[in-house]
Amino acid sequence: MSTKEEILIALRESTEFVSGQELSQSLGVSRTAVWKGVQKLKEEGYAIEAVTNRGYRLENMDNRDILNQQELERYWNTKWVGHPLYYKKETGSTNDDIMALSDKGAANGTLVLSSCQHAGKGRRGRTWISPDVGNIYMSILLKPDLTADKAPQTTLVEALSVYEACKDLEHPDTVRFGIKWPNDIVVSVEGGPYRKIVGILTEMRMEETRIRDVTVGTGININMKDIPDEVKDTATSLCLALGHDVTRAPFIARCWEYFERDYEAFLEAGSLAPLKAAYEKGLVNIGREVLVLDPKGQYSGTAEGITDTGELKVLPDGEQGIRNVGNGEISVRGVMGYV
Ligand code: BTN
């Protein structure tokens, strides 16, 4: 552990001033090293009061959004998700990082988190705009003992978990979160249009007939104040919806706690059956019109829910029977500002 991290721990343990002398003795470093460590912490955003003859004191940090390895570990509370976790201030793409780690033998549950991506990837070959403005970009490595056809369901598990963490922040009368099938999290403020705040990209690699690894990557717009022009009409952030900043570290830790619980339930059942009710509670498409882009001919109908394997159940207009629609062949109209 670095001197800076040791100083932070010592300051956290005390509500009173801790003298430079005391820190230098307990950490076995010079007073200058202590001073330098404090400066580095201040640069990272920690509010440290320094008073001559008294020493240093950390101000209450509960509402300050500082994101680094230590802040994340402080809130971490899972059995296997994020063990290990790697925080990178910036990176290319956390999905690519995970696949590189997997190639080197990384364990199931390994997590990479970053505040900025230079080559963020979205679905259908799109780019995921990933500026360093208080968002999170993160990916997990999963090595499930599943058949390949079941792996895409993992994406719905992650959507549900992040949705549940968002709901913990909800102001019931004004802000409503929802899931847009299959895996976008959206939010509506005071009955306004739903806008996207979370995107999930799952990439699976095979080894002959078995799954080699599944990488689930999630981007959440958290404290972004200016939405990039390209997505202004369709996207927003948690802070813009809620009207206040969100401290990222505890929120992220909660997302992964929920994921660990939900994913274990999914693996045990071998399907989404135990999660279906919770997922459908958040599903904004229910009872709304959808347009199904079936390669054999597009049709419109009403979304009724999901199956145990994550397909959207649609009642086509003018028909009696439900059709189950798989991911990739459907476009949803009528619930988002942009569809
Ligand atoms: C979408 O198009 O809606 C999916 C976006 C997924 C973005 C996340 S950010 C973390 C991870 N790394 C990436 O390069 N992409 C995913």
Side-chain angles (χ1 to χ4, degrees):
M1 199 184 293
S2 68
T3 303
K4 177 190 81 176
E5 287 165 346
E6 287 183 309
I7 294 171
L8 185 58
I9 289 171
L11 293 182
R12 273 218 174 97
E13 279 168 0
S14 170
T15 50
E16 290 309 312
F17 282 90
V18 184
S19 73
Q21 171 81 17
E22 226 177 299
L23 285 168
S24 122
Q25 269 170 3
S26 61
L27 307 184
V29 298
S30 67
R31 298 276 299 266
T32 316
V34 170
W35 183 83
K36 279 189 183 157
V38 169
Q39 297 316 305
K40 278 193 201 147
L41 288 170
K42 282 182 168 175
E43 280 163 26
E44 284 180 24
Y46 292 97
I48 297 172
E49 216 180 328
V51 175
T52 320
N53 294 330
R54 296 188 74 186
Y56 305 104
R57 187 172 65 176
L58 186 65
E59 284 177 17
N60 186 337
M61 299 298 294
D62 287 351
N63 295 317
R64 282 199 168 229
D65 180 38
I66 294 173
L67 195 66
N68 56 34
Q69 183 90 21
Q70 213 175 352
E71 286 296 322
L72 286 164
E73 282 169 1
R74 200 170 144 225
Y75 291 99
W76 217 253
N77 196 17
T78 54
K79 290 172 284 174
W80 57 271
V81 164
H83 298 289
L85 74 82
Y86 300 101
Y87 173 76
K88 294 171 149 198
K89 219 180 141 14
E90 55 187 298
T91 189
S93 153
T94 54
N95 267 31
D96 291 347
D97 291 337
I98 281 293
M99 285 187 262
L101 285 167
S102 175
D103 291 343
K104 289 186 190 143
N108 181 52
T110 299
L111 197 62
V112 173
L113 308 103
S114 184
S115 292
C116 175
Q117 294 185 126
H118 301 294
K121 301 186 289 186
R123 271 176 294 159
R124 302 178 209 280
R126 296 194 196 108
T127 299
W128 184 255
I129 307 168
S130 311
D132 186 6
V133 289
N135 294 338
I136 189 68
Y137 315 104
M138 53 192 183
S139 306
I140 189 166
L141 173 63
L142 299 171
K143 296 182 166 175
D145 191 13
L146 288 175
T147 49
D149 58 311
K150 289 195 173 153
Q153 294 174 42
T154 320
T155 315
L156 279 77
V157 177
E158 170 64 349
L160 172 63
S161 312
V162 178
Y163 162 72
E164 287 168 327
C166 290
K167 266 194 79 70
D168 287 352
L169 308 168
E170 196 167 85
H171 300 208
D173 297 337
T174 52
V175 181
R176 290 200 70 80
F177 291 100
I179 305 172
K180 176 183 174 256
W181 183 85
N183 57 12
D184 285 348
I185 313 291
V186 292
V187 65
S188 154
V189 181
E190 291 186 359
Y194 279 107
R195 292 202 157 86
K196 178 167 168 169
I197 46 168
V198 178
I200 301 172
L201 172 69
T202 297
E203 297 186 79
M204 176 175 64
R205 298 189 297 181
M206 299 294 294
E207 218 156 45
E208 291 168 14
T209 55
R210 291 182 56 80
I211 293 177
R212 176 165 156 208
D213 53 29
V214 176
T215 301
V216 182
T218 308
I220 313 179
N221 296 339
I222 301 186
N223 291 321
M224 178 157 67
K225 308 281 187 305
D226 294 312
I227 305 300
D229 282 344
E230 302 93 297
V231 290
K232 236 187 178 97
D233 296 337
T234 57
T236 187
S237 66
L238 274 174
C239 98
L240 290 176
L242 295 168
H244 59 77
D245 277 7
V246 172
T247 313
R248 280 176 291 174
F251 170 71
I252 292 164
R254 222 164 23 247
C255 288
W256 291 110
E257 262 177 58
Y258 290 154
F259 178 80
E260 187 173 86
R261 182 197 61 195
D262 295 343
Y263 183 71
E264 282 178 0
F266 159 68
L267 282 188
E268 202 186 325
S271 79
L272 296 168
L275 306 172
K276 203 173 101 161
Y279 182 96
E280 286 185 339
K281 228 171 158 183
L283 189 62
V284 292
N285 309 97
I286 281 199
R288 301 211 193 205
E289 200 191 0
V290 292
L291 176 70
V292 181
L293 298 176
D294 190 322
K296 293 188 213 112
Q298 77 177 44
Y299 60 91
S300 55
T302 308
E304 306 253 303
I306 59 162
T307 65
D308 286 353
T309 47
E311 293 142 316
L312 190 68
K313 293 194 285 191
V314 176
L315 180 62
D317 294 340
E319 285 184 27
Q320 301 290 321
I322 296 273
R323 293 199 217 173
N324 297 334
V325 181
N327 194 357
E329 43 176 320
I330 182 167
S331 138
V332 178
R333 183 176 81 194
V335 295
M336 305 273 288
Y338 64 98
V339 286

